Short mmCIF file of all heavy atoms in Angstrom, two decimals:
data_model
loop_
_atom_site.label_atom_id
_atom_site.label_comp_id
_atom_site.label_asym_id
_atom_site.label_seq_id
_atom_site.Cartn_x
_atom_site.Cartn_y
_atom_site.Cartn_z
N ARG A 1 0.51 -2.60 9.11
CA ARG A 1 0.98 -3.56 8.10
C ARG A 1 0.06 -3.63 6.88
O ARG A 1 0.52 -3.86 5.77
CB ARG A 1 1.08 -4.95 8.72
CG ARG A 1 2.04 -5.03 9.89
CD ARG A 1 2.24 -6.48 10.34
NE ARG A 1 1.00 -7.10 10.84
CZ ARG A 1 0.45 -8.19 10.29
NH1 ARG A 1 1.03 -8.79 9.27
NH2 ARG A 1 -0.66 -8.70 10.81
N PHE A 2 -1.23 -3.45 7.11
CA PHE A 2 -2.23 -3.53 6.03
C PHE A 2 -2.74 -2.14 5.69
O PHE A 2 -2.87 -1.28 6.58
CB PHE A 2 -3.41 -4.39 6.44
CG PHE A 2 -3.14 -5.87 6.58
CD1 PHE A 2 -1.85 -6.38 6.54
CD2 PHE A 2 -4.20 -6.76 6.73
CE1 PHE A 2 -1.61 -7.74 6.67
CE2 PHE A 2 -3.98 -8.12 6.86
CZ PHE A 2 -2.68 -8.61 6.83
N THR A 3 -3.06 -1.94 4.41
CA THR A 3 -3.65 -0.68 3.96
C THR A 3 -4.83 -0.97 3.06
O THR A 3 -4.68 -1.68 2.05
CB THR A 3 -2.62 0.18 3.21
OG1 THR A 3 -1.49 0.44 4.04
CG2 THR A 3 -3.25 1.50 2.78
N ILE A 4 -5.98 -0.42 3.40
CA ILE A 4 -7.17 -0.59 2.57
C ILE A 4 -7.34 0.67 1.72
O ILE A 4 -7.07 1.78 2.18
CB ILE A 4 -8.42 -0.85 3.44
CG1 ILE A 4 -9.63 -1.22 2.58
CG2 ILE A 4 -8.72 0.33 4.36
CD1 ILE A 4 -10.84 -1.70 3.39
N SER A 5 -7.79 0.47 0.49
CA SER A 5 -8.05 1.60 -0.40
C SER A 5 -9.19 1.22 -1.34
O SER A 5 -9.59 0.06 -1.39
CB SER A 5 -6.79 1.97 -1.19
OG SER A 5 -6.36 0.89 -2.00
N ARG A 6 -9.69 2.22 -2.05
CA ARG A 6 -10.78 1.95 -2.97
C ARG A 6 -10.63 2.79 -4.23
O ARG A 6 -10.08 3.90 -4.19
CB ARG A 6 -12.13 2.22 -2.30
CG ARG A 6 -12.38 3.66 -1.91
CD ARG A 6 -13.63 3.79 -1.03
NE ARG A 6 -14.83 3.34 -1.71
CZ ARG A 6 -15.95 2.97 -1.08
NH1 ARG A 6 -16.00 2.99 0.25
NH2 ARG A 6 -17.01 2.60 -1.78
N ASP A 7 -11.16 2.26 -5.31
CA ASP A 7 -11.22 2.98 -6.59
C ASP A 7 -12.67 2.94 -7.02
O ASP A 7 -13.16 1.93 -7.54
CB ASP A 7 -10.31 2.30 -7.63
CG ASP A 7 -10.26 3.06 -8.94
OD1 ASP A 7 -11.20 3.83 -9.23
OD2 ASP A 7 -9.29 2.87 -9.69
N ASN A 8 -13.38 4.05 -6.80
CA ASN A 8 -14.80 4.08 -7.11
C ASN A 8 -15.08 3.99 -8.62
O ASN A 8 -16.14 3.53 -9.03
CB ASN A 8 -15.45 5.33 -6.53
CG ASN A 8 -15.55 5.29 -5.02
OD1 ASN A 8 -15.50 4.23 -4.40
ND2 ASN A 8 -15.67 6.46 -4.40
N ALA A 9 -14.14 4.44 -9.42
CA ALA A 9 -14.32 4.35 -10.88
C ALA A 9 -14.31 2.89 -11.33
O ALA A 9 -14.92 2.56 -12.36
CB ALA A 9 -13.22 5.13 -11.59
N LYS A 10 -13.61 2.05 -10.59
CA LYS A 10 -13.53 0.62 -10.95
C LYS A 10 -14.37 -0.26 -10.05
O LYS A 10 -14.35 -1.49 -10.18
CB LYS A 10 -12.07 0.16 -10.88
CG LYS A 10 -11.15 0.83 -11.89
CD LYS A 10 -9.73 0.30 -11.79
CE LYS A 10 -8.83 0.94 -12.83
NZ LYS A 10 -7.44 0.43 -12.75
N ASN A 11 -15.11 0.36 -9.12
CA ASN A 11 -15.93 -0.42 -8.16
C ASN A 11 -15.09 -1.50 -7.49
O ASN A 11 -15.51 -2.67 -7.37
CB ASN A 11 -17.15 -1.06 -8.85
CG ASN A 11 -18.24 -0.06 -9.14
OD1 ASN A 11 -18.09 1.13 -8.88
ND2 ASN A 11 -19.33 -0.53 -9.72
N THR A 12 -13.90 -1.13 -7.06
CA THR A 12 -12.95 -2.10 -6.51
C THR A 12 -12.38 -1.59 -5.19
O THR A 12 -12.06 -0.40 -5.07
CB THR A 12 -11.83 -2.37 -7.52
OG1 THR A 12 -12.40 -2.90 -8.72
CG2 THR A 12 -10.82 -3.38 -6.97
N VAL A 13 -12.24 -2.50 -4.26
CA VAL A 13 -11.57 -2.20 -2.99
C VAL A 13 -10.34 -3.10 -2.90
O VAL A 13 -10.38 -4.26 -3.33
CB VAL A 13 -12.53 -2.38 -1.80
CG1 VAL A 13 -13.07 -3.79 -1.69
CG2 VAL A 13 -11.87 -1.94 -0.50
N TYR A 14 -9.27 -2.54 -2.36
CA TYR A 14 -7.98 -3.24 -2.30
C TYR A 14 -7.54 -3.42 -0.86
O TYR A 14 -7.93 -2.65 0.03
CB TYR A 14 -6.91 -2.44 -3.05
CG TYR A 14 -7.25 -2.16 -4.48
CD1 TYR A 14 -7.79 -0.93 -4.87
CD2 TYR A 14 -7.01 -3.10 -5.48
CE1 TYR A 14 -8.11 -0.66 -6.19
CE2 TYR A 14 -7.31 -2.84 -6.81
CZ TYR A 14 -7.87 -1.62 -7.15
OH TYR A 14 -8.17 -1.36 -8.46
N LEU A 15 -6.69 -4.40 -0.65
CA LEU A 15 -6.03 -4.56 0.64
C LEU A 15 -4.56 -4.88 0.37
O LEU A 15 -4.24 -5.96 -0.12
CB LEU A 15 -6.67 -5.68 1.46
CG LEU A 15 -6.15 -5.80 2.89
CD1 LEU A 15 -6.56 -4.58 3.72
CD2 LEU A 15 -6.65 -7.08 3.56
N GLN A 16 -3.72 -3.91 0.66
CA GLN A 16 -2.27 -4.12 0.56
C GLN A 16 -1.80 -4.69 1.89
O GLN A 16 -2.01 -4.06 2.94
CB GLN A 16 -1.56 -2.79 0.26
CG GLN A 16 -0.05 -2.91 0.21
CD GLN A 16 0.44 -3.73 -0.96
OE1 GLN A 16 -0.05 -3.59 -2.08
NE2 GLN A 16 1.41 -4.60 -0.72
N MET A 17 -1.18 -5.84 1.83
CA MET A 17 -0.74 -6.53 3.04
C MET A 17 0.78 -6.66 3.01
O MET A 17 1.31 -7.32 2.11
CB MET A 17 -1.40 -7.90 3.14
CG MET A 17 -2.91 -7.86 3.04
SD MET A 17 -3.69 -9.45 3.37
CE MET A 17 -3.05 -10.41 2.00
N ASN A 18 1.43 -6.04 3.94
CA ASN A 18 2.88 -6.09 4.06
C ASN A 18 3.29 -6.76 5.36
O ASN A 18 2.47 -6.91 6.28
CB ASN A 18 3.46 -4.68 4.01
CG ASN A 18 3.17 -3.96 2.72
OD1 ASN A 18 3.05 -4.57 1.67
ND2 ASN A 18 3.03 -2.64 2.79
N SER A 19 4.54 -7.16 5.43
CA SER A 19 5.08 -7.79 6.65
C SER A 19 4.16 -8.91 7.14
O SER A 19 3.81 -8.99 8.31
CB SER A 19 5.26 -6.74 7.74
OG SER A 19 6.12 -5.71 7.33
N LEU A 20 3.79 -9.76 6.21
CA LEU A 20 2.83 -10.81 6.54
C LEU A 20 3.41 -11.79 7.56
O LEU A 20 4.62 -12.08 7.57
CB LEU A 20 2.41 -11.55 5.27
CG LEU A 20 1.37 -10.77 4.42
CD1 LEU A 20 1.35 -11.29 3.00
CD2 LEU A 20 0.00 -10.87 5.06
N LYS A 21 2.50 -12.30 8.39
CA LYS A 21 2.85 -13.23 9.45
C LYS A 21 2.06 -14.53 9.25
O LYS A 21 0.99 -14.50 8.64
CB LYS A 21 2.50 -12.64 10.81
CG LYS A 21 3.14 -11.31 11.12
CD LYS A 21 2.65 -10.77 12.44
CE LYS A 21 3.27 -9.43 12.77
NZ LYS A 21 2.79 -8.89 14.07
N PRO A 22 2.56 -15.64 9.76
CA PRO A 22 1.80 -16.90 9.63
C PRO A 22 0.37 -16.78 10.18
O PRO A 22 -0.54 -17.42 9.63
CB PRO A 22 2.63 -17.88 10.44
CG PRO A 22 4.03 -17.36 10.32
CD PRO A 22 3.89 -15.87 10.35
N GLU A 23 0.17 -15.97 11.19
CA GLU A 23 -1.17 -15.82 11.76
C GLU A 23 -2.11 -15.03 10.86
O GLU A 23 -3.30 -14.91 11.16
CB GLU A 23 -1.10 -15.18 13.15
CG GLU A 23 -0.31 -13.90 13.23
CD GLU A 23 1.12 -14.14 13.72
OE1 GLU A 23 1.76 -15.11 13.24
OE2 GLU A 23 1.59 -13.34 14.55
N ASP A 24 -1.61 -14.47 9.77
CA ASP A 24 -2.48 -13.82 8.78
C ASP A 24 -3.10 -14.85 7.84
O ASP A 24 -3.95 -14.49 7.00
CB ASP A 24 -1.69 -12.80 7.97
CG ASP A 24 -1.19 -11.64 8.80
OD1 ASP A 24 -1.95 -11.16 9.66
OD2 ASP A 24 -0.04 -11.21 8.58
N THR A 25 -2.69 -16.09 7.92
CA THR A 25 -3.23 -17.13 7.06
C THR A 25 -4.73 -17.27 7.28
O THR A 25 -5.19 -17.46 8.40
CB THR A 25 -2.54 -18.47 7.33
OG1 THR A 25 -1.16 -18.36 6.96
CG2 THR A 25 -3.19 -19.59 6.54
N ALA A 26 -5.49 -17.14 6.20
CA ALA A 26 -6.95 -17.17 6.27
C ALA A 26 -7.52 -17.03 4.87
O ALA A 26 -6.79 -16.75 3.92
CB ALA A 26 -7.47 -16.03 7.15
N VAL A 27 -8.82 -17.22 4.76
CA VAL A 27 -9.54 -16.83 3.56
C VAL A 27 -10.03 -15.40 3.77
O VAL A 27 -10.64 -15.10 4.80
CB VAL A 27 -10.72 -17.77 3.26
CG1 VAL A 27 -11.44 -17.33 2.00
CG2 VAL A 27 -10.24 -19.21 3.12
N TYR A 28 -9.74 -14.55 2.81
CA TYR A 28 -10.08 -13.14 2.90
C TYR A 28 -11.29 -12.83 2.02
O TYR A 28 -11.36 -13.28 0.86
CB TYR A 28 -8.90 -12.28 2.50
CG TYR A 28 -7.83 -12.22 3.57
CD1 TYR A 28 -7.04 -13.33 3.84
CD2 TYR A 28 -7.63 -11.07 4.32
CE1 TYR A 28 -6.07 -13.29 4.83
CE2 TYR A 28 -6.66 -11.01 5.32
CZ TYR A 28 -5.89 -12.13 5.57
OH TYR A 28 -4.94 -12.08 6.56
N TYR A 29 -12.21 -12.05 2.57
CA TYR A 29 -13.44 -11.68 1.90
C TYR A 29 -13.64 -10.17 1.97
O TYR A 29 -13.17 -9.52 2.90
CB TYR A 29 -14.66 -12.32 2.58
CG TYR A 29 -14.63 -13.81 2.72
CD1 TYR A 29 -14.01 -14.43 3.79
CD2 TYR A 29 -15.27 -14.62 1.78
CE1 TYR A 29 -14.00 -15.81 3.93
CE2 TYR A 29 -15.27 -16.01 1.91
CZ TYR A 29 -14.63 -16.58 2.99
OH TYR A 29 -14.64 -17.95 3.13
N CYS A 30 -14.40 -9.64 1.03
CA CYS A 30 -14.85 -8.25 1.16
C CYS A 30 -16.37 -8.23 1.24
O CYS A 30 -17.05 -9.16 0.79
CB CYS A 30 -14.37 -7.40 -0.02
SG CYS A 30 -15.15 -7.80 -1.58
N ASN A 31 -16.90 -7.19 1.84
CA ASN A 31 -18.34 -7.01 1.96
C ASN A 31 -18.59 -5.64 2.54
O ASN A 31 -17.66 -4.89 2.87
CB ASN A 31 -18.96 -8.09 2.85
CG ASN A 31 -20.37 -8.47 2.43
OD1 ASN A 31 -21.18 -7.60 2.11
ND2 ASN A 31 -20.66 -9.75 2.42
N LEU A 32 -19.87 -5.30 2.65
CA LEU A 32 -20.23 -4.07 3.33
C LEU A 32 -19.85 -4.19 4.81
O LEU A 32 -19.53 -5.28 5.30
CB LEU A 32 -21.73 -3.82 3.20
CG LEU A 32 -22.33 -3.79 1.80
CD1 LEU A 32 -23.81 -3.43 1.89
CD2 LEU A 32 -21.60 -2.81 0.92
N ILE A 33 -19.93 -3.06 5.50
CA ILE A 33 -19.64 -3.07 6.93
C ILE A 33 -20.81 -3.62 7.73
O ILE A 33 -20.65 -4.21 8.78
CB ILE A 33 -19.29 -1.65 7.39
CG1 ILE A 33 -18.05 -1.16 6.65
CG2 ILE A 33 -19.03 -1.60 8.89
CD1 ILE A 33 -16.87 -2.09 6.76
N ARG A 34 -22.00 -3.43 7.23
CA ARG A 34 -23.22 -3.95 7.89
C ARG A 34 -24.19 -4.36 6.80
O ARG A 34 -23.98 -4.07 5.63
CB ARG A 34 -23.83 -2.92 8.80
CG ARG A 34 -24.20 -1.62 8.11
CD ARG A 34 -24.76 -0.60 9.08
NE ARG A 34 -23.79 -0.20 10.08
CZ ARG A 34 -22.92 0.78 9.91
NH1 ARG A 34 -22.92 1.44 8.77
NH2 ARG A 34 -22.08 1.11 10.86
#
């Protein structure tokens, strides 16, 4: 349902979220993996 992608030229990471469900309700953050 979700697809993550990145554009290094824009220093931006994206999250495409489809078929959203009520349980996806949350505050979303980005960060490094560690």
Side-chain angles (χ1 to χ4, degrees):
R1 300 187 297 119
F2 290 10
T3 302
I4 188 171
S5 61
R6 65 190 298 159
D7 184 337
N8 289 339
K10 295 182 178 180
N11 285 2
T12 300
V13 60
Y14 303 98
L15 187 68
Q16 177 67 43
M17 306 187 296
N18 299 329
S19 302
L20 282 161
K21 303 176 180 180
E23 52 263 44
D24 295 319
T25 295
V27 180
Y28 285 71
Y29 304 86
C30 69
N31 212 317
L32 305 184
I33 299 306
R34 58 182 64 87

